[in-house]
């Protein structure tokens, strides 16, 4: 176990000038920690300056956020919404966590001096919508330098080359008959650079769908919703789980097969009482059929769940 003490103090000012909102602050943080296997504690002091601004007018939305640490690390985020176009950019020099740099337990011990990871994320979306259909194609580009991960040997490793992950997808929503029949669907196709082989493992294809009815029964007094949601992913080497670390690690020996799973659900609300029914993994027709969430950890078998939530207040 680890004993952790933190002290955090923040001061700043915020305000607005017409359509422009701002928030500028300074922050001091002290973190002291000690693993039970060590007699001495370690103290970390960090001071950083930060601020964010936002400009909102009609269909134009501009936001910016910047934080700079005394250690040299930083984070920068910008968002630009202009009508149909939504673009965001994130860049950071991300300091390794205490856990990755120093750890001690009955089964695992390490001491590292990792460099900060350099991360860049560019996300762009095109939003096309009317009263019935919302169609959003998107492109996301992620690059990581000095990436830190838990290896198959259950120890942290820093990979110095640049890793690139490109994601292309479509976010689709359909509303029919005055929003009585609804379809939500999100599809993502991921393209990883060769440098990420055996380091970052994610499915090439991933899809989530939800088809459902939504309405009000009994003279519009009881909201009701029922339908089906579906999850699909292609095969890949999913991360393994190490209970002694309570953490996931990269493995490249156990292949998780591609799998389709769908659930049936029903929800209704009577004043402060909510009732839900859900048939999880409805398409498991053979008791020996199934899938793995992560290596050697089977997913939920077919089961009927009943949920009741009663709020004792108005």
């Amino acid at each position: 176990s680890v004993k952790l003490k933190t002290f955090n103090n923040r001061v700043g000012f915020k305000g607005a000038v017409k359509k422009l909102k701002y928030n500028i602050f300074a922050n001091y943080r002290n973190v002291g920690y000690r693993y039970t296997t060590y007699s001495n504690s370690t103290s970390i002091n960090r001071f950083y300056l930060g601020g964010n601004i936002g400009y909102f007018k009609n269909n134009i939305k501009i936001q910016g956020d910047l934080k700079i640490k005394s250690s040299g690390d930083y984070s920068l985020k910008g968002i630009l919404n202009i009508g149909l176009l939504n673009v965001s950019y994130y860049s950071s020099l991300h300091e390794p966590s205490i856990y990755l740099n120093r750890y001690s337990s009955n089964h695992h011990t390490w001491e590292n001096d990792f460099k900060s990871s350099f991360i860049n994320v560019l996300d762009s979306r095109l939003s096309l919508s009317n009263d019935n259909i919302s169609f959003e194609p998107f492109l996301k580009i992620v690059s990581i330098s000095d990436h830190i991960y838990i290896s198959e040997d259950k120890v942290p490793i820093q990979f110095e080359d640049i890793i690139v992950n490109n994601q292309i997808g479509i976010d689709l929503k359909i509303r029919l008959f005055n929003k009585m029949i609804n379809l939500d669907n999100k599809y993502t196709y991921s393209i990883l650079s060769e440098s990420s082989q055996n380091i970052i493992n994610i499915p090439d294809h991933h899809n989530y769908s939800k088809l459902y009815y939504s309405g009000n029964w009994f003279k519009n007094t009881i909201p009701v919703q029922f339908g089906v949601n579906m999850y699909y992913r292609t095969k890949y080497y999913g991360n393994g789980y190490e209970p002694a670390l309570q953490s996931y690690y990269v493995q490249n020996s156990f292949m998780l097969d591609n799998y389709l799973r769908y659930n049936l659900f029903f929800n209704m609300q009577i004043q402060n009482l909510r009732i839900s029914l859900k048939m999880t993994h409805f398409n498991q027709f053979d008791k020996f059929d199934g899938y793995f969430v992560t290596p050697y950890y089977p997913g939920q078998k077919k089961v009927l769940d009943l949920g009741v939530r009663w709020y004792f207040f108005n």
Side-chain angles (χ1 to χ4, degrees):
S1 64
V2 59
K3 294 183 178 179
L4 186 72
K5 294 182 180 180
T6 64
F7 173 80
N8 195 71
N9 199 13
R10 175 169 166 166
V11 61
F13 59 92
K14 61 182 179 180
V17 179
K18 294 183 178 180
K19 301 293 183 179
L20 182 67
K21 296 181 180 180
Y22 61 87
N23 182 5
I24 301 174
F25 56 87
N27 197 94
Y28 169 77
R29 188 184 188 197
N30 172 268
V31 179
Y33 67 95
R34 179 177 68 86
Y35 287 101
T36 52
T37 52
Y38 289 160
S39 58
N40 297 325
S41 62
T42 302
S43 180
I44 300 175
N45 295 287
R46 289 292 181 265
F47 177 80
Y48 66 85
L49 298 172
N52 55 71
I53 59 171
Y55 177 80
F56 309 93
K57 185 177 181 181
N58 300 330
N59 293 329
I60 300 177
K61 177 181 177 182
I62 302 174
Q63 289 181 282
D65 185 279
L66 174 65
K67 298 183 182 73
I68 302 176
K69 286 186 178 182
S70 56
S71 60
D73 301 287
Y74 75 92
S75 71
L76 169 67
K77 185 176 183 179
I79 300 175
L80 174 64
N81 287 350
I82 305 177
L84 303 178
L85 183 62
N86 182 347
V87 179
S88 66
Y89 173 72
Y90 173 78
S91 177
S92 72
L93 201 59
H94 191 71
E95 186 177 16
S97 66
I98 293 173
Y99 167 73
L100 293 173
N101 263 337
R102 190 177 185 185
Y103 184 78
S104 178
S105 72
N106 293 340
H107 304 286
H108 303 276
T109 301
W110 60 69
E111 293 223 18
N112 299 305
D113 187 20
F114 290 133
K115 298 184 293 184
S116 297
S117 300
F118 184 44
I119 304 170
N120 284 281
V121 181
L122 177 63
D123 191 337
S124 60
R125 294 171 177 266
L126 187 63
S127 180
L128 305 171
S129 62
N130 57 29
D131 293 337
N132 297 319
I133 298 177
S134 173
F135 180 75
E136 287 190 5
F138 61 86
L139 170 64
K140 188 174 184 179
I141 301 174
V142 181
S143 67
I144 307 174
S145 176
D146 295 317
H147 174 61
I148 304 172
Y149 65 98
I150 307 295
S151 69
E152 291 189 79
D153 296 327
K154 317 300 192 306
V155 294
I157 292 179
Q158 186 159 49
F159 184 72
E160 296 183 353
D161 291 347
I162 298 177
I163 296 173
V164 178
N165 175 18
N166 298 328
Q167 298 180 7
I168 304 171
I170 296 174
D171 199 343
L172 175 67
K173 295 180 175 62
I174 299 177
R175 307 287 183 256
L176 300 175
F177 308 111
N178 196 26
K179 298 184 179 180
M180 183 180 298
I181 305 300
N182 304 273
L183 172 66
D184 298 341
N185 191 87
K186 184 175 182 179
Y187 166 76
T188 304
Y189 174 58
S190 301
I191 307 171
L192 291 169
S193 60
E194 292 185 3
S195 58
S196 65
Q197 188 174 6
N198 301 331
I199 297 175
I200 293 182
N201 296 324
I202 56 177
D204 290 340
H205 304 271
H206 183 272
N207 192 85
Y208 167 76
S209 297
K210 180 180 179 182
L211 177 63
Y212 62 99
Y213 163 88
S214 181
N216 295 293
W217 292 359
F218 303 104
K219 297 182 180 180
N220 293 325
T221 58
I222 300 179
V224 173
Q225 188 181 100
F226 60 84
V228 57
N229 52 36
M230 181 194 74
Y231 306 85
Y232 173 77
R233 57 159 171 79
T234 52
K235 61 183 181 180
Y236 75 113
Y237 289 105
N239 287 344
Y241 182 72
E242 173 55 48
L245 292 174
Q246 300 183 45
S247 179
Y248 289 89
Y249 64 93
V250 176
Q251 64 87 31
N252 295 280
S253 57
F254 191 111
M255 176 71 77
L256 300 181
D257 292 331
N258 56 315
Y259 201 77
L260 169 67
R261 173 173 60 91
Y262 56 88
N263 311 318
L264 304 180
F265 66 90
F266 174 85
N267 304 310
M268 67 182 300
Q269 180 174 342
I270 305 173
Q271 295 182 352
N272 293 344
L273 176 65
R274 294 183 179 182
I275 300 174
S276 63
L277 282 171
K278 183 179 181 181
M279 176 66 78
T280 302
H281 199 178
F282 177 77
N283 57 315
Q284 184 181 16
F285 301 111
D286 188 328
K287 64 179 181 179
F288 298 109
D289 185 26
Y291 65 101
F292 286 98
V293 176
T294 198
Y296 306 107
Y297 286 82
Q300 175 65 62
K301 295 182 178 181
K302 182 162 62 175
V303 64
L304 179 63
D305 294 324
L306 169 64
V308 177
R309 178 177 294 178
W310 194 349
Y311 295 100
F312 291 92
F313 57 86
N314 293 325

